[in-house]
Structure formats: C-alpha cells, structure tokens
Amino acid sequence: MDEREKLRKFRELDDAFAEALRELEQPDNALDIPTGPPVRSLETLDEEERQRQREALFEQRLQALMQDYAQPAESVSHLLATLKSLGKIA
C-alpha cells in the first residue's frame, strides 16, 4: 500500500472517529452501540461447568441402567414422556 492510500485510510478513520465523538456529545442522541455477549462471572461459569458434569454423570448412569435392564432408548423416552405427562417429573 502506498503512502497516499495509507493517508487516505487514516483520514477516513479520523473522520469516522470525530463523527462518533460528536454523536456522543449530543444529549438526546440514542446511539445503537454494538456490544458483545454479556460477560459472565466466574461463579456463573463454575456453576455451568458443575451442571455439565452433573448432566454427563446422569447420562452415564442412565446408559448403564439401560444396558443392565436391556431397555432401548425409545422405551426410556416413552417412559419419561409418560412420567412428565402425569406431572411426576418437571
């Protein structure tokens, strides 16, 4: 990239920055500032990790029980749907 192109891009960036500053100074201006995803606390991340571990352990225990009692996934799914419809599980 030659020097003229660099200077042009710098001016465009400088103009855009100056415009953004002017918009910030206007008290009645409702800006649409893009933001990223919300920041989660370490406590929240730890709780999510514990929840994933509990779900993985449940899945392992369920698979072992299904194997021990020779129950296919469809049968267990039907049983869970029935229990849920009866209000026995949430």
Side-chain angles (χ1 to χ4, degrees):
M1 188 179 319
D2 68 346
E3 293 300 315
R4 286 185 181 181
E5 183 67 16
K6 288 180 184 177
L7 185 59
R8 184 187 65 77
K9 287 188 181 255
F10 177 78
R11 285 183 183 150
E12 287 176 1
L13 182 60
D14 186 53
D15 290 345
F17 185 70
E19 178 64 27
L21 286 176
R22 282 191 293 275
E23 288 178 10
L24 284 175
E25 292 173 353
Q26 296 175 359
D28 59 343
N29 189 8
L31 294 177
D32 183 21
I33 299 174
T35 60
V39 177
R40 296 178 294 179
S41 69
L42 289 177
E43 183 179 309
T44 302
L45 292 173
D46 287 343
E47 179 58 35
E48 289 173 359
E49 180 60 27
R50 286 191 294 273
Q51 180 64 29
R52 280 193 291 277
Q53 289 173 349
R54 285 191 298 267
E55 289 172 2
L57 182 58
F58 174 79
E59 181 71 28
Q60 290 170 356
R61 291 189 338 219
L62 180 61
Q63 291 294 332
L65 285 170
M66 288 169 54
Q67 188 173 5
D68 288 347
Y69 290 95
Q71 293 296 312
E74 297 81 22
S75 177
V76 174
S77 176
H78 180 67
L79 173 64
L80 291 173
T82 302
L83 289 172
K84 189 171 185 175
S85 71
L86 294 172
K88 300 294 183 182
I89 60 174

XYZ file of all heavy atoms in Angstrom:
730
model
N 0.859 -1.171 0.000
C 0.000 0.000 0.000
C 0.906 1.235 0.000
O 1.819 1.348 0.801
C -0.877 -0.052 1.259
C -1.940 0.991 1.278
S -3.037 0.963 2.737
C -3.372 -0.724 3.043
N 0.606 2.146 -0.892
C 1.463 3.343 -0.970
C 1.065 4.364 0.095
O 0.063 4.220 0.783
C 1.426 3.939 -2.375
C 0.075 4.532 -2.739
O -0.908 4.259 -2.028
O 0.015 5.280 -3.728
N 1.874 5.389 0.214
C 1.680 6.391 1.264
C 0.363 7.153 1.103
O -0.283 7.482 2.091
C 2.859 7.378 1.263
C 4.181 6.756 1.685
C 4.119 6.181 3.084
O 3.582 6.855 3.995
O 4.591 5.049 3.279
N -0.032 7.430 -0.131
C -1.294 8.149 -0.343
C -2.487 7.337 0.149
O -3.413 7.874 0.756
C -1.469 8.480 -1.830
C -0.589 9.593 -2.292
C -0.902 9.935 -3.724
N -0.021 11.004 -4.167
C -0.068 11.536 -5.358
N -0.947 11.097 -6.224
N 0.753 12.490 -5.681
N -2.446 6.051 -0.146
C -3.533 5.179 0.293
C -3.579 5.107 1.819
O -4.649 5.148 2.422
C -3.352 3.775 -0.305
C -4.454 2.809 0.014
C -5.786 3.171 -0.634
O -5.847 3.977 -1.564
O -6.802 2.636 -0.146
N -2.429 5.001 2.439
C -2.369 4.978 3.906
C -2.914 6.275 4.491
O -3.667 6.265 5.461
C -0.928 4.761 4.380
C -0.414 3.369 4.165
C 1.012 3.265 4.662
C 1.608 1.913 4.375
N 3.003 1.807 4.791
N -2.544 7.393 3.894
C -3.005 8.688 4.369
C -4.521 8.822 4.189
O -5.221 9.308 5.077
C -2.272 9.818 3.625
C -2.564 11.232 4.091
C -2.210 11.395 5.559
C -1.790 12.238 3.245
N -5.038 8.357 3.061
C -6.478 8.400 2.810
C -7.228 7.568 3.848
O -8.227 8.002 4.422
C -6.790 7.890 1.398
C -8.268 8.008 1.027
C -8.581 7.353 -0.309
N -8.375 5.919 -0.288
C -9.215 5.035 0.266
N -10.318 5.441 0.866
N -8.963 3.752 0.236
N -6.751 6.352 4.108
C -7.406 5.487 5.094
C -7.343 6.109 6.490
O -8.305 6.035 7.252
C -6.772 4.103 5.096
C -7.142 3.293 3.874
C -6.667 1.872 4.007
C -7.050 1.122 2.758
N -8.166 0.252 2.984
N -6.212 6.744 6.811
C -6.085 7.395 8.110
C -7.093 8.531 8.230
O -7.739 8.693 9.271
C -4.665 7.913 8.321
C -4.498 8.648 9.610
C -4.378 7.961 10.801
C -4.494 10.042 9.637
C -4.247 8.640 11.994
C -4.366 10.727 10.823
C -4.245 10.023 12.006
N -7.253 9.311 7.185
C -8.213 10.423 7.212
C -9.642 9.902 7.374
O -10.444 10.485 8.104
C -8.090 11.267 5.950
C -6.875 12.158 5.950
C -6.835 13.031 4.725
N -5.615 13.826 4.721
C -5.007 14.229 3.624
N -5.511 13.922 2.429
N -3.898 14.930 3.692
N -9.962 8.824 6.663
C -11.302 8.236 6.805
C -11.548 7.776 8.244
O -12.613 8.020 8.806
C -11.462 7.046 5.854
C -11.597 7.432 4.402
C -11.648 6.218 3.489
O -11.596 5.068 3.987
O -11.733 6.411 2.265
N -10.563 7.137 8.815
C -10.681 6.678 10.193
C -10.802 7.868 11.148
O -11.627 7.857 12.063
C -9.463 5.824 10.560
C -9.443 5.228 11.956
C -10.643 4.318 12.163
C -8.157 4.471 12.193
N -9.999 8.883 10.914
C -10.041 10.076 11.755
C -11.404 10.761 11.643
O -11.978 11.179 12.648
C -8.918 11.039 11.354
C -8.818 12.225 12.283
O -8.724 11.996 13.514
O -8.859 13.376 11.792
N -11.945 10.854 10.444
C -13.268 11.456 10.243
C -14.361 10.641 10.953
O -15.252 11.206 11.586
C -13.595 11.568 8.748
C -12.749 12.611 8.034
O -12.114 13.444 8.722
O -12.707 12.578 6.789
N -14.286 9.335 10.831
C -15.283 8.477 11.473
C -15.196 8.614 12.990
O -16.223 8.670 13.686
C -15.077 7.024 11.054
N -13.993 8.693 13.517
C -13.806 8.858 14.957
C -14.357 10.202 15.425
O -15.055 10.285 16.438
C -12.320 8.731 15.301
C -12.038 8.765 16.768
C -12.408 7.712 17.588
C -11.412 9.856 17.335
C -12.152 7.746 18.945
C -11.154 9.902 18.695
C -11.523 8.839 19.502
N -14.074 11.251 14.665
C -14.574 12.579 15.023
C -16.101 12.602 14.991
O -16.745 13.193 15.872
C -13.997 13.622 14.072
N -16.700 11.960 14.011
C -18.158 11.892 13.917
C -18.741 11.146 15.117
O -19.744 11.562 15.703
C -18.577 11.201 12.617
C -20.069 11.047 12.438
C -20.803 12.379 12.316
O -20.207 13.375 11.872
O -21.995 12.398 12.678
N -18.110 10.051 15.501
C -18.578 9.289 16.660
C -18.499 10.132 17.926
O -19.408 10.103 18.756
C -17.758 8.019 16.812
N -17.444 10.910 18.075
C -17.321 11.779 19.239
C -18.410 12.845 19.252
O -18.988 13.146 20.301
C -15.940 12.438 19.273
C -14.776 11.535 19.673
C -13.462 12.299 19.573
C -14.970 11.003 21.079
N -18.710 13.407 18.098
C -19.782 14.408 18.018
C -21.125 13.795 18.414
O -21.925 14.413 19.107
C -19.854 15.002 16.612
C -18.779 16.049 16.332
C -19.049 16.799 15.040
N -18.936 15.953 13.861
C -17.791 15.683 13.212
N -16.661 16.192 13.648
N -17.791 14.909 12.164
N -21.383 12.582 17.966
C -22.637 11.911 18.309
C -22.730 11.642 19.809
O -23.804 11.745 20.399
C -22.769 10.603 17.537
C -23.058 10.804 16.065
C -23.129 9.493 15.302
O -23.135 8.417 15.938
O -23.178 9.544 14.067
N -21.617 11.310 20.414
C -21.617 11.062 21.865
C -21.924 12.330 22.656
O -22.496 12.266 23.736
C -20.263 10.507 22.313
C -19.994 9.044 21.993
C -18.571 8.681 22.379
C -20.980 8.152 22.718
N -21.550 13.464 22.123
C -21.755 14.734 22.820
C -23.192 15.217 22.757
O -23.593 16.071 23.535
C -20.811 15.796 22.257
C -19.356 15.519 22.586
C -18.403 16.470 21.891
O -18.856 17.275 21.045
O -17.203 16.402 22.190
N -23.991 14.686 21.853
C -25.382 15.099 21.731
C -26.204 14.396 22.821
O -26.294 13.178 22.851
C -25.942 14.739 20.349
C -25.246 15.480 19.226
C -25.732 15.003 17.870
O -26.560 14.127 17.755
N -25.195 15.623 16.826
N -26.819 15.160 23.734
C -27.523 14.554 24.873
C -28.773 13.773 24.487
O -29.133 12.817 25.155
C -27.877 15.740 25.754
C -27.853 16.920 24.861
C -26.869 16.610 23.765
N -29.453 14.156 23.408
C -30.695 13.475 23.040
C -30.484 12.369 22.013
O -31.440 11.825 21.481
C -31.705 14.488 22.501
C -31.175 15.223 21.276
O -29.951 15.196 21.048
O -31.985 15.823 20.548
N -29.252 12.018 21.756
C -28.947 11.012 20.750
C -28.979 9.613 21.372
O -28.292 9.328 22.336
C -27.554 11.290 20.156
C -27.264 10.406 18.954
O -28.145 9.703 18.476
N -26.043 10.457 18.492
N -29.826 8.767 20.836
C -29.882 7.368 21.288
C -28.999 6.547 20.353
O -29.378 6.224 19.235
C -31.310 6.856 21.257
N -27.836 6.244 20.816
C -26.889 5.507 19.981
C -27.201 4.016 19.983
O -27.628 3.457 20.987
C -25.471 5.718 20.507
C -24.918 7.137 20.401
C -23.538 7.189 21.040
C -24.832 7.564 18.964
N -26.939 3.402 18.868
C -27.051 1.955 18.760
C -25.628 1.409 18.761
O -25.046 1.160 17.720
C -27.802 1.571 17.485
C -27.999 0.075 17.371
O -27.927 -0.615 18.409
O -28.209 -0.397 16.248
N -25.075 1.261 19.952
C -23.694 0.814 20.071
C -23.699 -0.704 20.142
O -24.314 -1.295 21.031
C -23.035 1.409 21.333
C -23.036 2.926 21.235
C -21.625 0.870 21.513
C -22.555 3.621 22.478
N -23.015 -1.355 19.194
C -22.989 -2.815 19.227
C -22.174 -3.305 20.419
O -21.145 -2.744 20.759
C -22.319 -3.191 17.908
C -21.520 -1.998 17.526
C -22.245 -0.803 18.095
N -22.687 -4.328 21.039
C -21.970 -4.920 22.166
C -21.844 -6.414 21.940
O -22.583 -7.005 21.154
C -22.706 -4.683 23.496
O -23.991 -5.283 23.399
C -22.848 -3.202 23.790
N -20.936 -7.017 22.633
C -20.746 -8.453 22.542
C -21.672 -9.171 23.504
O -22.557 -8.575 24.104
N -21.460 -10.452 23.641
C -22.287 -11.206 24.583
C -22.026 -10.732 26.006
O -20.965 -10.190 26.298
C -21.822 -12.649 24.376
C -20.466 -12.540 23.783
C -20.445 -11.259 23.002
N -23.000 -10.910 26.886
C -22.796 -10.460 28.264
C -21.644 -11.211 28.919
O -21.421 -12.387 28.656
C -24.121 -10.776 28.952
C -24.799 -11.744 28.070
C -24.271 -11.543 26.686
N -20.939 -10.511 29.766
C -19.822 -11.108 30.474
C -20.382 -11.895 31.651
O -21.209 -11.401 32.407
C -18.842 -10.014 30.969
C -17.721 -10.630 31.770
C -18.299 -9.229 29.794
N -19.929 -13.128 31.791
C -20.412 -13.968 32.875
C -19.354 -14.035 33.970
O -18.163 -14.049 33.693
C -20.726 -15.368 32.365
C -21.873 -15.342 31.353
C -22.153 -16.690 30.810
N -20.995 -17.113 30.033
C -20.906 -18.274 29.424
N -21.873 -19.127 29.498
N -19.840 -18.590 28.747
N -19.808 -14.092 35.190
C -18.886 -14.144 36.317
C -18.256 -15.525 36.419
O -18.756 -16.507 35.862
C -19.629 -13.821 37.618
O -20.523 -14.881 37.919
N -17.163 -15.599 37.167
C -16.512 -16.890 37.387
C -17.450 -17.843 38.122
O -17.467 -19.045 37.854
C -15.217 -16.705 38.177
C -14.079 -16.039 37.416
C -12.873 -15.845 38.333
C -13.691 -16.839 36.196
N -18.258 -17.287 39.020
C -19.221 -18.120 39.745
C -20.227 -18.748 38.782
O -20.544 -19.936 38.884
C -19.941 -17.268 40.787
C -20.913 -18.051 41.639
C -21.579 -17.169 42.680
O -20.858 -16.471 43.406
O -22.817 -17.187 42.721
N -20.695 -17.955 37.836
C -21.649 -18.464 36.853
C -20.993 -19.531 35.983
O -21.592 -20.573 35.707
C -22.169 -17.319 35.965
O -22.781 -16.341 36.798
C -23.162 -17.819 34.937
N -19.756 -19.266 35.568
C -19.045 -20.247 34.747
C -18.816 -21.545 35.519
O -18.957 -22.635 34.961
C -17.714 -19.662 34.264
C -17.818 -18.507 33.269
C -16.448 -17.916 33.001
C -18.475 -18.956 31.985
N -18.465 -21.430 36.806
C -18.272 -22.622 37.632
C -19.566 -23.404 37.770
O -19.571 -24.633 37.684
C -17.747 -22.237 39.023
C -16.296 -21.789 39.007
O -15.599 -22.063 38.008
O -15.867 -21.171 39.997
N -20.671 -22.705 37.976
C -21.967 -23.371 38.108
C -22.340 -24.069 36.797
O -22.855 -25.191 36.811
C -23.055 -22.375 38.509
C -24.428 -22.999 38.650
C -24.492 -24.131 39.656
O -23.791 -24.088 40.677
O -25.254 -25.094 39.399
N -22.075 -23.416 35.675
C -22.366 -24.044 34.382
C -21.515 -25.295 34.185
O -22.007 -26.306 33.670
C -22.119 -23.047 33.254
C -23.146 -21.938 33.197
C -22.799 -20.861 32.182
O -21.735 -20.957 31.531
O -23.598 -19.919 32.037
N -20.255 -25.255 34.609
C -19.379 -26.416 34.494
C -19.876 -27.548 35.389
O -19.908 -28.709 34.977
C -17.933 -26.048 34.859
C -16.963 -27.200 34.773
C -16.854 -27.834 33.401
O -17.101 -27.138 32.385
O -16.541 -29.030 33.336
N -20.287 -27.227 36.617
C -20.832 -28.246 37.514
C -22.105 -28.862 36.918
O -22.320 -30.078 37.008
C -21.116 -27.657 38.898
C -19.862 -27.406 39.718
C -20.183 -27.087 41.164
N -20.899 -25.817 41.324
C -20.316 -24.638 41.440
N -19.011 -24.545 41.427
N -21.041 -23.538 41.577
N -22.933 -28.012 36.301
C -24.166 -28.516 35.673
C -23.825 -29.458 34.525
O -24.450 -30.511 34.382
C -25.025 -27.346 35.175
C -26.318 -27.762 34.524
C -27.274 -28.460 35.477
O -27.270 -28.208 36.668
N -28.085 -29.357 34.953
N -22.838 -29.116 33.712
C -22.422 -30.003 32.615
C -21.904 -31.336 33.161
O -22.193 -32.398 32.595
C -21.359 -29.330 31.754
C -21.919 -28.343 30.750
C -20.874 -27.933 29.723
N -19.816 -27.122 30.297
C -19.877 -25.813 30.497
N -20.961 -25.164 30.161
N -18.868 -25.157 31.007
N -21.149 -31.277 34.253
C -20.632 -32.503 34.858
C -21.770 -33.369 35.398
O -21.758 -34.593 35.222
C -19.638 -32.178 35.970
C -18.332 -31.618 35.459
C -17.420 -31.134 36.577
O -17.829 -31.026 37.726
N -16.182 -30.829 36.224
N -22.765 -32.730 36.045
C -23.916 -33.490 36.548
C -24.674 -34.141 35.398
O -25.100 -35.303 35.493
C -24.847 -32.583 37.347
C -24.326 -32.228 38.727
C -25.403 -31.555 39.588
N -25.891 -30.306 39.052
C -25.407 -29.099 39.364
N -24.411 -28.981 40.209
N -25.933 -28.017 38.823
N -24.856 -33.407 34.317
C -25.570 -33.958 33.164
C -24.800 -35.122 32.545
O -25.405 -36.131 32.150
C -25.818 -32.862 32.136
C -26.849 -31.848 32.579
C -26.958 -30.654 31.654
O -26.249 -30.610 30.619
O -27.745 -29.741 31.965
N -23.479 -34.995 32.467
C -22.666 -36.081 31.910
C -22.743 -37.312 32.804
O -22.868 -38.446 32.312
C -21.218 -35.632 31.734
N -22.689 -37.123 34.115
C -22.782 -38.242 35.052
C -24.156 -38.904 34.950
O -24.269 -40.132 34.927
C -22.529 -37.760 36.483
C -22.555 -38.826 37.571
C -21.525 -39.911 37.300
C -22.305 -38.183 38.926
N -25.215 -38.084 34.866
C -26.564 -38.636 34.715
C -26.648 -39.456 33.439
O -27.207 -40.560 33.433
C -27.597 -37.511 34.698
C -28.984 -37.996 34.398
C -29.751 -38.590 35.388
C -29.520 -37.871 33.123
C -31.033 -39.054 35.117
C -30.793 -38.326 32.840
C -31.551 -38.925 33.839
N -26.114 -38.928 32.353
C -26.146 -39.634 31.069
C -25.424 -40.977 31.173
O -25.920 -41.993 30.681
C -25.499 -38.769 29.985
C -25.484 -39.382 28.609
C -26.853 -39.448 27.958
O -27.704 -38.613 28.271
O -27.042 -40.345 27.120
N -24.275 -40.995 31.841
C -23.534 -42.251 32.008
C -24.339 -43.252 32.835
O -24.406 -44.439 32.489
C -22.186 -41.990 32.682
C -21.209 -41.248 31.811
C -19.978 -40.797 32.597
O -19.895 -40.981 33.799
N -19.026 -40.194 31.893
N -24.929 -42.787 33.925
C -25.718 -43.689 34.782
C -26.954 -44.204 34.039
O -27.315 -45.380 34.149
C -26.120 -42.970 36.065
C -24.931 -42.709 36.955
C -25.241 -42.201 38.335
N -26.520 -41.569 38.532
C -26.728 -40.509 39.280
N -25.730 -39.936 39.914
N -27.926 -40.000 39.423
N -27.591 -43.323 33.281
C -28.763 -43.735 32.511
C -28.380 -44.787 31.468
O -29.069 -45.799 31.322
C -29.417 -42.525 31.836
C -30.647 -42.809 30.989
C -31.759 -43.424 31.842
C -31.132 -41.533 30.315
N -27.285 -44.573 30.772
C -26.832 -45.547 29.767
C -26.526 -46.893 30.421
O -26.881 -47.953 29.881
C -25.587 -45.022 29.030
C -25.848 -43.836 28.131
C -26.734 -44.164 26.956
O -26.776 -45.292 26.471
N -27.481 -43.175 26.491
N -25.890 -46.864 31.611
C -25.568 -48.108 32.311
C -26.838 -48.839 32.725
O -26.942 -50.077 32.573
C -24.699 -47.808 33.529
N -27.826 -48.090 33.246
C -29.095 -48.720 33.632
C -29.823 -49.290 32.422
O -30.392 -50.393 32.488
C -29.988 -47.707 34.351
C -29.588 -47.376 35.779
C -30.410 -46.189 36.293
C -29.785 -48.584 36.680
N -29.830 -48.557 31.333
C -30.487 -49.045 30.117
C -29.829 -50.343 29.654
O -30.526 -51.275 29.229
C -30.427 -47.978 29.013
C -31.347 -46.805 29.267
S -31.088 -45.396 28.156
C -31.203 -46.119 26.554
N -28.514 -50.412 29.765
C -27.801 -51.616 29.355
C -28.085 -52.768 30.333
O -28.358 -53.887 29.909
C -26.302 -51.345 29.278
C -25.516 -52.489 28.683
C -24.057 -52.111 28.480
O -23.619 -51.041 28.864
N -23.325 -53.024 27.871
N -28.035 -52.475 31.636
C -28.288 -53.517 32.641
C -29.678 -54.125 32.501
O -29.859 -55.324 32.685
C -28.141 -52.954 34.065
C -26.699 -52.667 34.434
O -25.788 -53.114 33.705
O -26.486 -51.979 35.463
N -30.675 -53.296 32.203
C -32.061 -53.770 32.093
C -32.505 -53.996 30.654
O -33.683 -54.240 30.397
C -33.007 -52.784 32.790
C -32.839 -52.806 34.295
C -32.008 -51.902 34.927
C -33.489 -53.767 35.061
C -31.843 -51.928 36.307
C -33.337 -53.812 36.441
C -32.505 -52.890 37.060
O -32.339 -52.925 38.417
N -31.554 -53.928 29.730
C -31.819 -54.183 28.301
C -32.994 -53.361 27.790
O -33.918 -53.877 27.151
C -32.032 -55.681 28.063
N -32.969 -52.078 28.082
C -34.039 -51.183 27.644
C -33.517 -50.282 26.528
O -32.515 -49.593 26.705
C -34.540 -50.326 28.799
C -35.238 -51.104 29.885
C -36.511 -51.755 29.372
O -37.323 -51.127 28.719
N -36.660 -53.044 29.654
N -34.205 -50.244 25.401
C -33.771 -49.356 24.318
C -34.115 -47.894 24.630
O -34.967 -47.599 25.479
C -34.569 -49.852 23.107
C -35.775 -50.496 23.695
C -35.352 -51.064 25.028
N -33.460 -46.991 23.953
C -33.661 -45.555 24.177
C -35.121 -45.157 23.938
O -35.655 -44.303 24.652
C -32.733 -44.746 23.275
N -35.771 -45.759 22.953
C -37.165 -45.421 22.663
C -38.072 -45.743 23.849
O -38.985 -44.983 24.174
C -37.667 -46.160 21.409
C -36.939 -45.807 20.145
C -35.611 -46.556 19.984
O -35.418 -47.627 20.607
O -34.752 -46.041 19.273
N -37.813 -46.875 24.498
C -38.624 -47.277 25.645
C -38.441 -46.305 26.812
O -39.407 -45.909 27.462
C -38.233 -48.695 26.079
O -38.937 -49.083 27.229
N -37.209 -45.907 27.061
C -36.919 -44.966 28.147
C -37.524 -43.601 27.822
O -38.095 -42.942 28.691
C -35.398 -44.872 28.390
C -35.068 -43.793 29.404
C -34.851 -46.220 28.853
N -37.439 -43.196 26.577
C -38.016 -41.919 26.161
C -39.531 -41.927 26.373
O -40.104 -40.950 26.870
C -37.690 -41.650 24.696
O -38.300 -40.476 24.261
N -40.172 -43.018 26.020
C -41.620 -43.147 26.217
C -41.967 -43.088 27.708
O -42.929 -42.422 28.113
C -42.133 -44.444 25.587
C -43.593 -44.656 25.741
N -44.530 -43.853 25.120
C -44.302 -45.553 26.464
C -45.736 -44.259 25.451
N -45.628 -45.297 26.269
N -41.174 -43.780 28.532
C -41.393 -43.768 29.980
C -41.274 -42.349 30.530
O -42.117 -41.891 31.307
C -40.391 -44.686 30.680
C -40.381 -44.643 32.213
C -41.713 -45.135 32.772
C -39.229 -45.457 32.760
N -40.247 -41.615 30.127
C -40.055 -40.241 30.600
C -41.194 -39.332 30.140
O -41.667 -38.486 30.903
C -38.711 -39.694 30.135
C -37.478 -40.330 30.788
C -36.201 -39.842 30.129
C -37.464 -40.065 32.277
N -41.650 -39.508 28.906
C -42.762 -38.701 28.402
C -44.033 -38.978 29.208
O -44.791 -38.050 29.534
C -42.992 -38.986 26.921
N -44.251 -40.245 29.557
C -45.424 -40.610 30.358
C -45.342 -39.995 31.745
O -46.315 -39.413 32.243
C -45.545 -42.149 30.460
O -45.640 -42.697 29.144
C -46.757 -42.556 31.283
N -44.155 -40.116 32.383
C -43.988 -39.521 33.719
C -44.195 -38.021 33.685
O -44.814 -37.445 34.577
C -42.602 -39.868 34.265
C -42.368 -41.320 34.665
C -40.900 -41.557 34.991
C -43.246 -41.693 35.844
N -43.697 -37.386 32.643
C -43.860 -35.923 32.524
C -45.321 -35.556 32.325
O -45.809 -34.591 32.930
C -43.003 -35.407 31.368
C -42.929 -33.920 31.306
C -41.911 -33.445 30.301
C -41.802 -31.940 30.368
N -40.756 -31.444 29.497
N -46.032 -36.299 31.504
C -47.444 -36.002 31.269
C -48.288 -36.187 32.528
O -49.318 -35.559 32.699
C -47.992 -36.844 30.123
O -48.106 -38.196 30.517
N -47.846 -37.082 33.409
C -48.557 -37.311 34.664
C -48.137 -36.347 35.757
O -48.662 -36.395 36.873
C -48.322 -38.754 35.144
C -48.899 -39.862 34.256
C -48.445 -41.222 34.735
C -50.421 -39.774 34.205
N -47.171 -35.470 35.452
C -46.722 -34.496 36.427
C -45.773 -35.072 37.463
O -45.547 -34.438 38.501
N -45.211 -36.211 37.197
C -44.305 -36.853 38.152
C -42.890 -36.271 38.067
O -42.133 -36.379 39.014
C -44.231 -38.371 37.918
C -45.575 -39.060 38.059
C -46.071 -38.976 39.485
C -47.379 -39.720 39.633
N -47.938 -39.636 40.955
N -42.554 -35.697 36.919
C -41.246 -35.034 36.740
C -41.479 -33.703 36.053
O -42.494 -33.497 35.389
C -40.241 -35.893 35.932
C -40.769 -36.207 34.519
C -39.881 -37.162 36.674
C -39.787 -36.907 33.641
N -40.531 -32.812 36.224
C -40.668 -31.479 35.615
C -40.067 -31.439 34.243
O -39.245 -32.180 33.855
C -40.004 -30.432 36.490
